Amino acid sequence: MPGKKPRVVVFYGGSASNHDLSTETGQWVCQYVPREQYDVTPVEITPEGLWKVPLGSLPRSGSIGRTLQMLSQAVPALAPDRALERLLHHPVQSIFTLVRGHGGDDGSMHSLGSALRIPVVGSPHHTCQRTSDKYLFSNTINDITTTPHTRRFRKGTAVEDVLADIQDEFLPPVFVKPVTEEGSIGIERVETPAELENAIRKHLTMTDIILQEYRGGTEIAVTLTEDARGKIIALPPTIIVPQKATFYDHLAKRRAGRVTLHTPTTQDNPVIAEATEIARDVYDELGCKGVATIDMITNDDTVDVLEVNTVPTLSQLTPLQHQLKKAGLHPSTFFDSLIKRSWV
């Protein structure tokens, strides 16, 4: 509409397990999307799946932390169908979803945007669907790179049948992972056969799981994004070093001291260079757009891909903030570029 700024709707919150990190990321995005260029409407999704849709937009300048808290308390929580009607009372030019799991990086919000012909920042829905399913993702990229050996078992499968099936295939340590949970939720590294049985028994009552072989080495996160012209660029990679945690688990994204994050010297480092090239291949193969972080494990001269995150998580304890700083890329420039690329 002439004279109006483009309206960007930022979704955050979601399930209880990821709500706090998603909300923190939402605050980052709402703060740094250049509000002199865009009208920003924050939409919080409650753990129960209700939407809080304010009628207006955020102030054009200043800190928005207190504003978001007041909106969360004052705005009614509505069922998604009623909330969507309220949201679309004014035109929407872009959707920025920061929800993990259902309604976020599983492609749900991207499918909604596609149906409504509203651009959604980031990868298309089919890419998000493939990356959110850990088993499907592993099979998708097996032709272009290596991944740890993985088996899938359906919810409700008898534990005794699983144990009999894997007795000659998996020896602890082994990772037990929910197939579709995000942010390392529910992932367990088990060290003994008894722990393995207990973990399988616990998770199979709730969800499909994968068993994944343990690969020792150094965990590295490589983030790829698009510049203003659509060229794929790699941000400085992050090395994740366990301290109190045995791996970069869910708590490490919330509690300081469980891991440390640092940026290695990439010059003349062939393993880092190889990891970055593999990340580019995976990004292209999956049809990623916008920003995506590829998690890998390196050991001497080998690199295995663990997973891909198509929805950014920004906190003091997650790699992306460190990577932006090391790249000298201001968050406002970064978010502005992501939004504009969603319109292409």
Side-chain angles (χ1 to χ4, degrees):
M1 187 178 298
K4 295 285 188 178
K5 293 185 293 184
R7 184 177 180 222
V8 177
V9 177
V10 178
F11 284 88
Y12 61 89
S15 64
S17 54
N18 268 312
H19 194 275
D20 55 348
L21 266 183
S22 178
T23 298
E24 185 174 350
T25 304
Q27 292 174 350
W28 269 83
V29 174
C30 288
Q31 180 68 54
Y32 288 109
V33 167
R35 283 169 277 145
E36 70 278 5
Q37 298 181 42
Y38 304 100
D39 286 328
V40 179
T41 298
V43 175
E44 179 185 358
I45 299 180
T46 72
E48 297 75 29
L50 303 178
W51 294 12
K52 296 184 178 182
V53 180
L55 292 177
S57 300
L58 291 174
R60 296 188 178 186
S61 62
S63 175
I64 49 81
R66 177 60 178 160
T67 300
L68 290 179
Q69 291 178 8
M70 293 174 64
L71 287 173
S72 180
Q73 296 170 2
V75 174
L78 303 176
D81 55 348
R82 292 182 58 201
L84 186 62
E85 182 179 357
R86 178 180 171 109
L87 182 67
L88 297 180
H89 185 70
H90 299 293
V92 176
Q93 280 71 41
S94 190
I95 291 173
F96 204 141
T97 179
L98 304 163
V99 179
R100 305 299 302 274
H102 182 66
D105 46 8
D106 66 347
S108 299
M109 194 61 68
H110 303 75
S111 295
L112 175 63
S114 178
L116 297 174
R117 298 187 177 183
I118 299 173
V120 181
V121 171
S123 296
H125 70 276
H126 56 82
T127 298
C128 295
Q129 288 170 340
R130 285 192 290 179
T131 57
S132 68
D133 184 313
K134 297 179 180 67
Y135 185 71
L136 179 59
F137 163 72
S138 178
N139 285 340
T140 299
I141 66 168
N142 266 339
D143 289 339
I144 63 170
T145 188
T146 58
T147 62
H149 176 57
T150 301
R151 287 282 305 276
R152 179 176 189 152
F153 295 93
R154 300 289 181 178
K155 175 183 176 181
T157 304
V159 175
E160 292 73 21
D161 292 342
V162 175
L163 293 174
D165 194 12
I166 66 169
Q167 61 179 341
D168 297 324
E169 192 174 353
F170 289 95
L171 294 175
V174 175
F175 282 106
V176 180
K177 301 182 178 183
V179 169
T180 57
E181 280 286 7
E182 306 297 338
S184 302
I185 294 171
I187 294 179
E188 293 189 45
R189 174 179 157 175
V190 297
E191 303 290 340
T192 67
E195 289 180 356
L196 177 59
E197 179 177 352
N198 290 338
I200 293 172
R201 191 176 301 279
K202 177 175 67 175
H203 290 292
L204 268 184
T205 62
M206 300 180 290
T207 185
D208 291 4
I209 66 169
I210 61 170
L211 301 186
Q212 191 172 76
E213 69 171 318
Y214 168 76
R215 293 282 181 90
T218 301
E219 188 169 352
I220 179 172
V222 177
T223 297
L224 301 176
T225 188
E226 297 173 301
D227 66 12
R229 297 182 179 180
K231 179 181 178 182
I232 307 303
I233 59 174
L235 301 181
T238 300
I239 296 292
I240 300 164
V241 181
Q243 300 294 335
K244 297 178 182 178
T246 57
F247 67 100
Y248 192 36
D249 61 9
H250 190 57
L251 287 178
K253 299 172 175 66
R254 290 165 164 77
R255 297 181 185 174
R258 293 185 65 79
V259 300
T260 57
L261 307 176
H262 69 90
T263 302
T265 301
T266 58
Q267 186 176 7
D268 299 326
N269 189 324
V271 176
I272 297 297
E274 181 185 2
T276 302
E277 287 306 308
I278 290 173
R280 289 181 180 274
D281 290 342
V282 171
Y283 188 99
D284 288 338
E285 176 70 18
L286 294 171
C288 295
K289 299 292 182 183
V291 61
T293 298
I294 294 87
D295 295 334
M296 292 172 276
I297 196 86
T298 65
N299 189 348
D300 297 326
D301 58 350
T302 64
V303 179
D304 289 282
V305 175
L306 301 177
E307 63 179 77
V308 171
N309 299 305
T310 56
V311 169
T313 300
L314 271 167
S315 78
Q316 297 290 339
L317 302 176
T318 53
L320 184 53
Q321 183 193 164
H322 297 261
Q323 294 169 345
L324 291 174
K325 286 182 178 179
K326 291 292 183 179
L329 185 58
H330 194 277
S332 291
T333 304
F334 178 61
F335 296 140
D336 182 38
S337 177
L338 291 179
I339 293 167
K340 286 186 168 64
R341 290 301 305 169
S342 74
W343 298 339
V344 176

